[in-house]
Structure formats: structure tokens, C-alpha cells
Amino acid sequence: MSKPLLLFLILIVLSLFSCGKKNSKSVFLNKIAEIDHLHSLAKKAVNDSTLVYVNAAKRLIDSDKNLPDTLLLENFFRKGYFYKQIDVTDSARYYFYKTIDLVKKPNTRKRNRAYFRSAWEMEEQINNMANAFSIVERFIGISDKEENVDDLIFAYNYLNRAYLDLGNYEKSLEYNAKILEMAKQTSNVDMYVITANAKADVYYAYLNKKEEAFKLLDSLSTIQCGKEAKRQLYRTYGILHFYEEEYHKALNYYDKVLKLSKKTKSNYNYNLLESYNNISEAYIELKDYKTASKYLDTTKSIIDSNSFESYVTVYNDLRFLLNYRTKTDEGKVLAEYKSLVEANRKQHQQKINEKLYALELANEKEKIAIIAKNESELNNVRLLTLLVFSGLLLLVGYLLYRQRRYAFQKQELQMQQRLLRSQMNPHFTFNTLSVIKNQIEENQESAGDYLLRFSRLLRLILENSLRNYVQIENELELLRKYMDLQLLRFPDKFRYTIRLENFEEEDLLFIPPMLIQPFVENSIEHGFLGTPYKGQIDITLRMKNKWITCIIEDNGVGLSKSKKGYKNSVSMQLISKFTYKTTKQKIVIVDKKDKELSKTGVYVEFLIPYKFSEND
């Protein structure tokens, strides 16, 4: 071979190899992009499609072991977040734990904070604070003091707040000290001032260390810091002086807070409301009611539907206190009250009625008070009558519901007992035992395997029969063991497939037991009776909305020859009644030949109810 020709062949091989690598890389990148797209679709809204997107992404992840682990992390998190949004707490916790279990030291991704935060907040939601603290401590353990400063501060802040809420002030101050250390480490002056300021508040309000609190604030006041840090420092100064009944000093600091609040745009409405309320309260204590009224009017002008409810409540309290002390025109007071009630109704405020009652006792004339009292008593009688009547209706409704539920559970139990008997029918049992006996005489090793498979099948049947709902994974395992045992009896008689759509076998889905096996048994015992060819059973389970559609097809002799077996089957009748009561849909059993002459066999379709928990 000439050298030019050899060189030409080498170039062709290299170019083909290069193209193959490029195509492989392109497929890999496209797969990552598709998984990211599915995750973004799952993130947009929580609905029936969310699980479809997440499960589709999981199948892509499982198809390529070279994909980054971060995709699997995000997939578990998306699934946990879905269950959290629909209030299936156990499933949400399960997938959040699977997510954080995959995060290893060191913490190199900002996204990890969201994973751990969701896990510990879920534990806090169910008041399992020990688990919540354990998750936070683990997050701290994988985070480096130099590389993950923001993450550590976030975790320390959570522990600081949580221990303060629990009344464990020593622990709270311990994590407060850790934040101060991080602030020094990073030369973050504002964070240092804000954190130390919170420490002074704990000293004064919870530990009765008033002198230490003021000394700490005095030391912080000498530090040059940003507007927000300075605002919080002056706010704490003002509040502590107010508690000490030094109202002029408190006002001096409140004025500074107000000026800084107007310059700081973050939490603008929140900070202004608090400032105006604090100033109004101080003027009321100084009995400068005119100035207090002016500031309360300003407060009212900035209240809107998004205002912080606690500060709106404080405003209401101060307005009533001012009206009570100044004893202004009663009509004006009443008009003010009605306006506040309407505003509070929108914000779900409940405490205003007690304030009104106290005000009416102090200011209304005797006649108006008596009329109002009589009207109130009449309304109470009406309300009491309505409550009693509503209670009776609820009681009757509950009793009827419980009776109906009890009847349905009784029927369900009877159905399961009958299905159990039908699955363990003497014909199948005796045939199996007969095969085992023959195997013992001919091949003891094969007989042992056969007996072991039969015992496992019986155990699964008995275990599943004890529950109203079983995990779909267990039910499919029972189905496979049954068909495998039949194949040991009748080798090469049939093949089978089980296909799942829109969910995976290991998903936490629970269905009533023993609904599918009787149809498969009919196909084997009646559908393939006397067929000269190998049978095929195809089982498809498709999750949609609140049902799982079950489709069972075979290529047997059809209903014309096996109709008697289907028609007289006790199992068919029991399953038909149960599925109709739970889904309001009848079972469809069709001879394929009726639809297409060239096809043989039976087509069965029915709906199966499912739950996300055995006890739902």
C-alpha cells in the first residue's frame, strides 16, 4: 500500500472518531439540558403534572451513570417539595432526607443551603426540634469557616432564634457569639453591630442584665457602621429607655430611627410603622396627646393590606388608649372604631371587640349602653342557637358518614377475604403441591426451589390480605412471583410484561391488594387453554389524576371459548363491585376479535384507587 493512501485512510479514521466523540458529547449535554428543563417545569407549579416531570427526569438520570450527582440531588428535592406543597409530610421528609444524605463534605454549592433549610424547616413544622437541630449541625459540619461564611451565618442565626424561642438563652447567646466571631473574621462591621445589638436585647429582656445591656450598646455606638445597623442600634436604645420610663431619651432615639427608616428603602413600610407607633406611644406616656394624635394619623395614612399585622394591632391599641385618655367626642370615637373594625376584618384581627366594650363602659351614656348591651345579648342568643343547630347538623352528618364508612370497610374486608380464598383456591394449591411431589421424586434440588417460591408467594398473599392498601411495589412483586410459579408448572406456555407509566415502582403509592392477579389467572387458566402457540400477557399501569388505569391484554382464545370462566368467576364479581363503588367506573372486558378479526385474546381495563400513604 502506498504511503499517500495509508495517510488518507488514517485521516478518515481520525475524523470518524472525532465526529463520534462530538456526537456523544452533544447527546450528553442535550440530556443535561433536558433534565434541567424538566426540573424548571416541575418548579413552576405544583399540580398533577409535577410528578410526571420529576419522574421523567429520574428516568433520564438513571439512563446515564456519567451524569452529575447534582441532577439527582435536585430531582429528590423537587419530589420532596411537591409532597410538602400538598401536605404529605412523611413523603416530603423522606425525599428531603434522601437529598441531604447525598450531600458530602465539603459544601461547595450555594444550592445546598436550600436543601438543608427545607429539611430542618420541615422538622420544625412538626415540632421535632431535635431533628431540626441535628440537620442544622450537620450542615455546619460540612461547611468551611472560610469558604462558607454566609452559609454558616445563616445556620447560626437560625439556631440563635430557635433557642431564644425555646427559652434556652445560654444556647442562644452561644450562637450569637459565633456570629460575632464570623463578623470579626470577615470584617463585616454592620453584621457585628446588628448581632451584638440583639445580644443586648437578650441581656435586658430575658436575663435582667440591664447594666450590661446599656454598656454593650454604648460600646457599639462608637463604631462607624451602615444606616441599617445604626437604625437597629438606635431602635434598641429607644426601646430600653422607654422600658426604663425615660421617655424623652426614648423619643430622641426614636426620632433618629425614623430619619434612618426614611433613608433605608428595605422593609420601608415595616420600619416606618414601627417608628411612628413607638413615637406615638412615648408621647402618650408623656401626656402630649396632641402630638401623639398627629403621629397616629400619619401611621394610619401608610397602613395598607400588606402592612405587618402586629404593627397594625399596636396602632389600634394606641388609638384606643389615646381616645380613652382624652375622652374626645363619642361619635367620633365610634366612627373611628367602625373604621378600624372594617380594616381589621380584612386582616383577620379579633381583639378589637374587647377594646370597644371597655370604651363604651367609660364613655357612652347609660341609655346607649343598655341598648347596646341588650342588642349584644340578643345577638349572643342568636349566635348560640345557630351554633347549637350547626353542631347538631355536624354531629348527625358525622354519624351518617361514620356508619357509611363502616359499612364500606366491612364490605371491603369481606371482599379481601373472598379474594384471598380465591387466590388460594384448592385447584391451584393442589396442582402446585402435586408438581412439588413429582419434583421431589425426580429432582430434589428443583423441588426445593419450587417449594421455596410457593412459600414466598403464600407469605406475600397472606401479608397483603391483612391490609386495606399495600405499597404497589409489594403488589407487583406478588404478581411476578405468581406468574413465575405458573411458568414453572407450564414452561414456555406464555410470556409476560409489566409496564408502568407516569410513576416508578419504588414510589410511595398504595393500592388495594389482590385486584390484578385474578385477571392474570383467567388468562393463564382459560385464555391459553389448548392454544398451539406461546401466550403473551401484557400488563400496563398508568397513573392519571386520582386513579391508576390498569390494562391487561392476552393473545389467548378470547371470550368465545373462555367466557364461562370469566362470567362465573367470583373474583371478577367481587372486584367489579369494589372498583365501581370506589371509582364509579365499570370494568371493561372485551374480546379482541370483536374489534379486529385478525386478533385473538381478551382486553381488560379498569381503574384502581391509590393513596400516598397507607393511612390516608
Side-chain angles (χ1 to χ4, degrees):
M1 184 181 293
S2 63
K3 287 185 178 180
L5 181 60
L6 179 62
L7 181 61
F8 178 71
L9 290 174
I10 291 172
L11 289 173
I12 290 176
V13 171
L14 288 174
S15 65
L16 289 173
F17 179 73
S18 176
C19 288
K21 287 186 70 177
K22 286 181 180 177
N23 288 335
S24 175
K25 186 176 181 181
S26 177
V27 170
F28 183 77
L29 293 175
N30 286 339
K31 195 174 290 186
I32 292 176
E34 188 175 353
I35 292 169
D36 285 337
H37 178 63
L38 288 168
H39 285 163
S40 66
L41 290 174
K43 183 179 179 180
K44 284 180 181 177
V46 177
N47 52 42
D48 293 337
S49 302
T50 303
L51 272 184
V52 176
Y53 298 139
V54 173
N55 290 334
K58 180 66 162 56
R59 285 191 288 272
L60 285 173
I61 294 168
D62 291 341
S63 69
D64 193 336
K65 300 299 181 185
N66 294 319
L67 289 170
D69 291 340
T70 53
L71 295 175
L72 183 59
L73 272 170
E74 185 67 18
N75 210 69
F76 282 141
F77 176 73
R78 282 285 131 225
K79 207 161 190 175
Y81 190 77
F82 165 77
Y83 286 120
K84 177 185 176 182
Q85 294 300 101
I86 62 172
D87 293 326
V88 182
T89 305
D90 288 343
S91 297
R93 293 175 68 204
Y94 171 77
Y95 283 107
F96 284 155
Y97 270 107
K98 289 193 76 169
T99 304
I100 63 176
D101 281 345
L102 290 175
V103 180
K104 305 300 180 185
K105 188 175 183 179
N107 175 21
T108 57
R109 299 176 68 232
K110 291 183 178 181
R111 185 68 173 149
N112 289 339
R113 187 202 294 181
Y115 298 151
F116 278 86
R117 178 183 179 179
S118 295
W120 78 55
E121 284 182 349
M122 180 59 68
E123 296 299 323
E124 184 181 28
Q125 184 177 316
I126 60 173
N127 293 320
N128 196 338
M129 297 306 297
N131 278 2
F133 291 156
S134 174
I135 294 169
V136 181
E137 291 291 354
R138 184 181 161 196
F139 181 65
I140 292 171
I142 67 169
S143 301
D144 186 83
K145 286 186 176 181
E146 294 182 358
E147 299 295 330
N148 307 109
V149 173
D150 290 340
D151 288 330
L152 285 171
I153 289 172
F154 187 86
Y156 291 151
N157 264 318
Y158 172 80
L159 292 172
N160 179 21
R161 189 266 305 165
Y163 278 117
L164 186 61
D165 290 344
L166 292 173
N168 191 336
Y169 308 123
E170 290 185 5
K171 271 286 185 182
S172 177
L173 288 175
E174 177 185 327
Y175 286 104
N176 183 283
K178 289 180 181 291
I179 301 170
L180 289 174
E181 180 185 343
M182 300 293 290
K184 286 181 181 179
Q185 175 185 328
T186 58
S187 301
N188 192 329
V189 177
D190 286 359
M191 185 194 304
Y192 182 87
V193 171
I194 291 171
T195 305
N197 179 62
K199 182 178 180 180
D201 188 46
V202 174
Y203 275 168
Y204 187 96
Y206 301 105
L207 300 179
N208 200 27
K209 295 181 177 181
K210 298 181 180 181
E211 186 176 346
E212 289 91 331
F214 279 107
K215 282 183 179 179
L216 180 54
L217 291 178
D218 290 340
S219 67
L220 294 175
S221 66
T222 63
I223 299 175
Q224 293 295 323
C225 58
K227 292 177 183 177
E228 177 57 23
K230 190 68 73 177
R231 187 194 69 80
Q232 293 194 34
L233 176 63
Y234 289 156
R235 171 184 172 275
T236 304
Y237 255 130
I239 290 172
L240 298 195
H241 280 301
F242 182 88
Y243 289 154
E244 292 292 307
E245 298 182 1
E246 297 171 345
Y247 303 121
H248 287 290
K249 287 185 178 180
L251 276 171
N252 181 42
Y253 284 106
Y254 287 159
D255 285 334
K256 293 179 180 180
V257 173
L258 180 59
K259 290 175 182 177
L260 287 170
S261 296
K262 291 178 178 179
K263 294 179 182 179
T264 308
K265 294 302 179 183
S266 60
N267 297 322
Y268 186 72
N269 185 273
Y270 178 98
N271 292 336
L272 284 182
L273 277 178
E274 183 187 40
S275 297
Y276 286 131
N277 279 339
N278 287 341
I279 293 171
S280 301
E281 187 176 23
Y283 276 117
I284 288 174
E285 292 302 323
L286 289 171
K287 298 182 180 180
D288 186 349
Y289 301 127
K290 184 177 180 180
T291 307
S293 178
K294 183 175 71 173
Y295 277 100
L296 286 176
D297 288 341
T298 306
T299 306
K300 182 180 179 181
S301 68
I302 65 171
I303 290 176
D304 57 36
S305 58
N306 296 318
S307 296
F308 190 47
E309 289 185 8
S310 295
Y311 289 161
V312 177
T313 301
V314 171
Y315 161 74
N316 295 336
D317 292 343
L318 293 174
R319 176 66 77 180
F320 275 108
L321 180 61
L322 179 64
N323 288 335
Y324 177 78
R325 289 191 179 183
T326 55
K327 298 186 184 295
T328 57
D329 178 68
E330 294 171 358
K332 183 179 178 181
V333 174
L334 191 57
E336 175 74 21
Y337 162 71
K338 289 180 178 179
S339 174
L340 292 175
V341 167
E342 179 61 22
N344 288 340
R345 184 186 64 79
K346 294 177 182 178
Q347 300 178 4
H348 307 288
Q349 299 294 325
Q350 300 295 329
K351 297 181 180 179
I352 202 70
N353 291 326
E354 296 175 3
K355 303 288 183 182
L356 172 66
Y357 184 65
L359 182 64
E360 285 178 341
L361 287 178
N363 293 296
E364 291 290 335
K365 294 178 181 180
E366 185 177 355
K367 183 178 179 181
I368 298 175
I370 293 172
I371 293 173
K373 184 178 179 181
N374 291 339
E375 183 67 23
S376 175
E377 290 176 353
L378 181 60
N379 286 336
N380 287 338
V381 171
R382 290 171 181 166
L383 179 61
L384 182 61
T385 304
L386 180 61
L387 288 174
V388 171
F389 182 69
S390 300
L392 288 173
L393 283 178
L394 286 172
L395 180 61
V396 171
Y398 172 73
L399 292 174
L400 290 173
Y401 166 77
R402 190 174 69 170
Q403 184 178 9
R404 183 180 177 187
R405 182 178 176 86
Y406 173 75
F408 181 75
Q409 287 177 339
K410 184 178 179 182
Q411 291 175 355
E412 192 177 40
L413 179 61
Q414 290 173 345
M415 183 206 75
Q416 289 179 354
Q417 290 172 342
R418 292 173 183 174
L419 280 175
L420 175 62
R421 288 197 293 270
S422 71
Q423 280 192 306
M424 299 178 66
N425 66 73
H427 178 73
F428 170 71
T429 304
F430 291 143
N431 280 344
T432 302
L433 292 174
S434 177
V435 171
I436 293 172
K437 177 178 176 296
N438 293 334
Q439 289 285 342
I440 291 173
E441 294 173 355
E442 298 174 5
N443 187 337
Q444 291 188 0
E445 184 178 345
S446 175
D449 180 57
Y450 202 126
L451 184 60
L452 181 62
R453 289 171 182 257
F454 182 57
S455 66
R456 286 175 177 170
L457 176 64
L458 290 180
R459 187 194 67 190
L460 275 173
I461 291 173
L462 291 171
E463 285 178 351
N464 287 3
S465 69
L466 296 175
R467 297 178 174 88
N468 292 332
Y469 279 77
V470 298
Q471 193 168 349
I472 198 166
E473 183 180 7
N474 296 337
E475 187 67 8
L476 292 177
E477 182 185 358
L478 184 151
L479 191 60
R480 290 192 182 96
K481 288 187 183 299
Y482 171 77
M483 289 190 284
D484 291 342
L485 200 61
Q486 289 284 32
L487 284 171
L488 285 175
R489 285 180 58 202
F490 306 111
D492 298 323
K493 184 174 183 180
F494 66 93
R495 295 185 298 267
Y496 71 85
T497 64
I498 299 176
R499 187 158 57 97
L500 309 180
E501 296 182 9
N502 300 337
F503 71 98
E504 296 179 10
E505 188 167 332
E506 64 268 19
D507 284 350
L508 290 175
L509 296 175
F510 294 81
I511 63 172
M514 300 179 285
L515 296 182
I516 306 173
Q517 185 265 348
F519 294 100
V520 175
E521 182 179 0
N522 268 321
S523 294
I524 298 171
E525 300 292 340
H526 303 289
F528 301 143
L529 189 64
T531 55
Y533 51 85
K534 192 167 188 176
Q536 177 71 36
I537 300 175
D538 296 314
I539 302 167
T540 302
L541 297 174
R542 182 183 303 121
M543 187 171 75
K544 187 176 181 182
N545 297 329
K546 56 182 179 180
W547 314 115
I548 292 177
T549 301
C550 177
I551 299 172
I552 304 167
E553 296 185 70
D554 66 50
N555 64 342
V557 296
L559 291 177
S560 57
K561 295 183 179 179
S562 63
K563 191 173 184 180
K564 184 178 179 182
Y566 272 94
K567 187 175 181 181
N568 296 331
S569 170
V570 175
S571 299
M572 298 301 108
Q573 296 172 10
L574 291 170
I575 294 171
S576 179
K577 288 180 181 178
F578 174 77
T579 56
Y580 184 74
K581 282 186 177 181
T582 54
T583 68
K584 304 303 179 186
Q585 296 290 325
K586 292 184 178 181
I587 297 177
V588 176
I589 303 177
V590 180
D591 193 319
K592 289 184 179 180
K593 191 174 289 185
D594 293 340
K595 290 187 173 182
E596 194 173 339
L597 290 174
S598 61
K599 290 188 176 181
T600 62
V602 176
Y603 174 93
V604 179
E605 180 178 335
F606 61 97
L607 299 180
I608 301 176
Y610 71 88
K611 301 178 178 180
F612 288 112
S613 168
E614 186 178 358
N615 300 316
D616 279 354

